């Protein structure tokens, strides 16, 4: 008799039915999901009553669910499927690597070929101060690495008191203990607490906080909050400042042009390391290989993940600039940090093929010069809708604020009571209109795959407009207007 523990596993496997002609048993899948699968960032009681949407297939910029609905993916999965779905080249590269060497670690004086090649390629694609890469399995782990690395850097320089990292409210830097503490999400801090030695300043959100100022005036004011915080803590205690060039999960907050150069000036003035979290912004998302180039900053560390593999296989890491790498590599001693899957050969093989596609299809140039500007003008045209108070975009991210009453000046718009959840209502209509658009409060955001064509942008804007019309009709009926 086999041990009892083998029996249930075998019975579950036997009961999982394959789809026949693309017809899925959605009810059964929903039931199993509700019974066993704890989803990230999810209210499970609410999810159980609604039931999940089961995604089964992707091709280009489109997804299909188990009920046969075709949906335009305006969010690239979760800000990551930059080259679109169904790229056989990546799956073949992964298959080849799995057949050759599915895994070996990078500890104990060993390495593997895809990791070496990927490190070299990332150095070639990144700004000139970067000559080293540390691999992780995710963006969260990469930001944990940043925290460990900058503290190690200052310790090696004989400044062990210089451990504080300054971040921003409403930032997202991941969901590990360090990632959530580095981030500035209230809901996460309430549940996970923060960590000693991490401080937060305000975000450069002109729509929310820039009343009475031009965007550029506000950019200088918001950057000034960093200087104030450094002086409050004491410059000899501040290790680094971390920020997303454009905040993603916080609602596509595109800072004024004056913000980042002023942040750089302040970091330089006090010798504070600058960390650009480019988990979303990197690999062409904003129309440059790295957003730091666009923002005219020279970070010491860049966090990456998502677009490096277009999400086909998990991979993250940190680009380590010369200032930090020199101290880490020359001062000697172990840096006691790393993960089983640091430099995973299969993930690195996926990244290499993904980056090859981005280079060969000139997707970064396409977003910078053709489709990004096209998206900008089309997205801005939504600004005449009675529900839309403010739109902006950069490269292939864009956002619009739903307002109760629109006005010519964004700050004169009347906002909805946030407790109504107008954004969530609108998100539902987006789904119904065959497009995935994310709601962050009452701000609706997109980050489409970089392969999206101008004709597909037209289709996306048409779908968004219909969903806005449906939202307007609904909330009128509810008496919210
Ligand atoms: N930094 C940034 C800037 C991110 O956007 C992470 C770090 C963490 O990466 P991992 O791979 O550990 O998830 C992210 C992730 C959202 C949403 O709601 C965004 C992310 C993750 C989950 C949800 O927009 N970004």
């Amino acid at each position: 008799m086999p041990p009892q523990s083998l029996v249930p596993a075998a019975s579950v496997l036997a009961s999982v039915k394959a789809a026949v002609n693309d017809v899925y048993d959605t009810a059964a899948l929903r039931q199993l999901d509700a019974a066993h699968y704890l989803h990230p960032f999810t209210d499970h009681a609410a999810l159980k009553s609604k039931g999940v949407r089961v995604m089964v297939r992707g091709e280009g910029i489109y997804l299909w669910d188990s009920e046969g609905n075709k949906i335009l993916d305006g969010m690239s999965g979760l800000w990551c499927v930059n080259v679109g779905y169904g790229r056989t080249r990546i799956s073949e590269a992964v298959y080849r690597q799995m057949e050759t060497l599915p895994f070996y670690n990078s500890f104990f004086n060993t390495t593997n070929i895809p990791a070496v090649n990927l490190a070299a390629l990332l150095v070639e694609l990144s700004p000139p101060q970067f000559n080293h890469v540390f691999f992780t399995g995710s963006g969260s782990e990469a930001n944990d690495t940043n925290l460990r690395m900058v503290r190690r850097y200052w310790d090696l320089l004989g400044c062990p008191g210089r451990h504080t990292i300054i971040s921003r409210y409403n930032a997202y830097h991941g969901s590990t203990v360090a990632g959530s503490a580095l981030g500035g999400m209230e809901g996460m801090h309430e549940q996970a607490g923060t960590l000693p030695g991490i401080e937060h300043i305000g975000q450069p959100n002109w729509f929310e906080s820039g009343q009475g100022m031009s965007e550029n005036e506000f950019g200088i004011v918001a950057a000034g909050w960093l200087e104030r915080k450094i002086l409050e803590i004491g410059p000899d205690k501040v290790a680094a400042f971390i920020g997303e060039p454009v905040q993603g999960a916080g609602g596509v907050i595109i800072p004024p042009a004056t913000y980042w150069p002023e942040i750089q000036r302040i970091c330089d003035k006090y010798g504070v390391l600058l960390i650009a979290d480019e988990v979303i912004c990197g690999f062409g998302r904003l129309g440059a290989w790295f957003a730091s180039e666009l923002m005219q900053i020279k970070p010491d560390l860049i966090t990456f993940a998502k677009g490096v593999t277009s999400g086909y296989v998990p991979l993250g890491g940190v680009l380590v600039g010369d200032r930090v790498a020199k101290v880490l590599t020359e001062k000697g001693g172990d840096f006691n940090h790393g993960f089983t899957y640091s430099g995973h050969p299969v993930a690195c093989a996926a990244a290499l093929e993904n980056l090859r596609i981005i280079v060969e299809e000139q997707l970064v140039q396409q977003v910078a010069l053709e489709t990004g500007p096209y998206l900008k003008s089309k997205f801005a045209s939504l600004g005449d809708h009675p529900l839309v108070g403010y739109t902006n975009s950069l490269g292939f991210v864009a956002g619009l604020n739903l307002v109760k009453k629109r006005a010519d000046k964004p700050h004169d718009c009347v906002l909805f009571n946030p407790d109504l959840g107008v954004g969530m209502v609108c998100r539902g209509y987006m789904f119904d209109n065959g497009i995935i658009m994310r709601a962050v409060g009452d701000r609706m955001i997109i980050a489409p795959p970089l392969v999206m064509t101008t004709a597909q942008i037209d289709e996306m804007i048409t779908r968004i407009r219909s969903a806005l019309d449906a939202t307007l009709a609904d909330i009128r009926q509810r008496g919210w207007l």
Side-chain angles (χ1 to χ4, degrees), residues 77-329:
L78 197 55
W79 318 87
C80 52
V81 188
N82 287 7
V83 298
Y85 298 95
R87 306 300 296 239
T88 311
R89 285 174 59 176
I90 301 179
S91 30
E92 284 174 355
V94 163
Y95 176 78
R96 277 195 305 274
Q97 187 57 44
M98 281 193 170
E99 290 277 286
T100 314
L101 181 70
F103 176 74
Y104 199 75
N105 71 71
S106 291
F107 294 53
F108 322 128
N109 298 340
T110 54
T111 193
N112 66 76
I113 294 169
V116 174
N117 285 334
L118 180 60
L121 178 59
L122 289 171
V123 163
E124 196 180 308
L125 296 173
S126 61
Q129 71 271 28
F130 293 102
N131 286 294
H132 293 86
V133 185
F134 192 101
F135 289 118
T136 68
S138 68
S140 301
E141 288 175 8
N143 279 327
D144 275 53
T145 300
N146 279 326
L147 183 135
R148 300 278 309 274
M149 200 178 274
V150 299
R151 289 182 175 169
R152 173 88 180 137
Y153 167 84
W154 287 113
D155 287 351
L156 287 170
L157 287 179
C159 309
R162 210 161 170 157
H163 271 197
T164 300
I165 300 178
I166 301 175
S167 176
R168 301 175 300 178
Y169 293 114
N170 201 36
Y172 190 80
H173 295 302
S175 194
T176 48
V177 173
S180 61
L182 282 171
M185 297 290 177
E186 226 172 84
M188 294 174 81
H189 290 175
E190 273 166 20
Q191 292 179 7
T194 52
L195 288 176
I198 296 178
E199 299 277 338
H200 295 84
I201 60 170
Q203 55 173 336
N205 185 340
W206 178 74
F207 180 75
E208 204 173 275
S209 316
Q211 284 86 349
M213 284 179 256
S214 71
E215 290 205 47
N216 281 342
E217 283 164 355
F218 174 69
I220 299 292
V221 169
W225 299 333
L226 174 61
E227 183 155 31
R228 205 159 49 170
K229 190 56 117 182
I230 292 172
L231 293 172
E232 183 191 309
I233 299 166
D236 57 340
K237 294 198 173 60
V238 180
F241 173 72
I242 182 167
E244 305 151 77
V246 168
Q247 286 154 261
V252 179
I253 312 298
I254 303 171
T258 48
Y259 178 77
W260 277 109
E262 182 64 2
I263 290 282
Q264 177 78 65
R265 189 191 67 76
I266 294 165
C267 287
D268 289 348
K269 181 171 169 190
Y270 298 101
V272 169
L273 292 168
L274 178 56
I275 308 170
D277 183 341
E278 298 226 23
V279 165
I280 284 175
C281 297
F283 306 106
R285 171 64 47 205
L286 302 186
W289 276 100
F290 291 94
S292 298
E293 304 162 63
L294 285 179
M295 303 293 159
Q296 297 165 40
I297 51 172
K298 229 177 138 226
D300 299 293
L301 298 158
I302 286 181
T303 322
F304 65 87
K306 295 191 189 273
V308 69
T309 57
S310 283
Y312 277 58
V313 182
L315 178 70
V318 176
L319 287 161
V320 184
D322 292 341
R323 177 178 167 193
V324 174
K326 192 166 157 42
V327 172
L328 272 189
T329 56

